[in-house]
């Protein structure tokens, strides 16, 4: 199948888990994927394993300037941006069901990223 053939898609948090599976599916369906993540090692390895025009960019989604850079670089390199899978997410050091015991700093980080 080629449901997204020729499309350019950014996938945040694309180095592992659901993000990685999304990258692999989009690639199999014909998209060119820009993988972004704070995990450089796994992100670069995934992009290299896919070959072609797929790329990796180090990206902290809580930083506005990094968003501007990622989008600008994507448009410059590929001339288009057709989709975004905003998959990046974090959780705190305590179980999610116990958020009332998070520190304010951790709570803000979770909400900024998610």
């Amino acid at each position: 199948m080629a449901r997204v053939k020729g499309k350019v898609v950014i996938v945040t948090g694309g180095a592992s888990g659901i993000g990685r599976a999304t990258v692999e599916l989009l690639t199999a369906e014909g998209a060119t994927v820009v993988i972004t993540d704070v995990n450089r090692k796994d992100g670069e390895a995934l992009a290299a394993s896919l070959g072609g025009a797929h790329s990796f960019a180090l990206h902290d989604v809580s930083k506005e300037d990094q968003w501007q850079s990622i989008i600008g670089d994507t448009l410059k390199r590929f001339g288009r941006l057709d989709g975004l899978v905003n998959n990046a997410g974090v959780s705190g050091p305590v179980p999610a069901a116990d958020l009332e015991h998070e520190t304010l700093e951790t709570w803000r980080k979770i909400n900024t990223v998610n």
Side-chain angles (χ1 to χ4, degrees):
M1 308 251 338
R3 293 183 286 182
V4 289
K5 184 175 182 172
K7 304 293 185 184
V8 176
V9 181
I10 294 172
V11 178
T12 68
S16 62
I18 293 170
R20 181 184 178 108
T22 303
V23 167
E24 291 169 344
L25 178 60
L26 285 166
T27 300
E29 291 288 343
T32 297
V33 181
V34 177
I35 304 158
T36 78
D37 207 298
V38 295
N39 179 344
R40 180 187 300 265
K41 179 183 170 199
D42 290 346
E44 287 177 345
L46 177 58
S49 75
L50 297 172
H54 308 289
S55 63
F56 170 76
L58 191 63
H59 180 204
D60 178 343
V61 298
S62 70
K63 308 290 187 202
E64 182 180 352
D65 63 322
Q66 290 185 25
W67 273 105
Q68 293 171 351
S69 179
I70 294 297
I71 292 169
D73 291 348
T74 300
L75 292 172
K76 186 175 182 178
R77 180 170 180 195
F78 301 106
R80 62 188 295 157
L81 174 59
D82 301 294
L84 165 68
V85 178
N86 201 16
N87 170 75
V90 295
S91 60
V94 297
D98 197 20
L99 285 175
E100 67 189 79
H101 295 105
E102 289 287 5
T103 65
L104 181 57
E105 178 183 3
T106 300
W107 175 254
R108 286 182 175 152
K109 176 69 174 178
I110 291 169
N111 282 286
T112 300
V113 172
N114 296 351

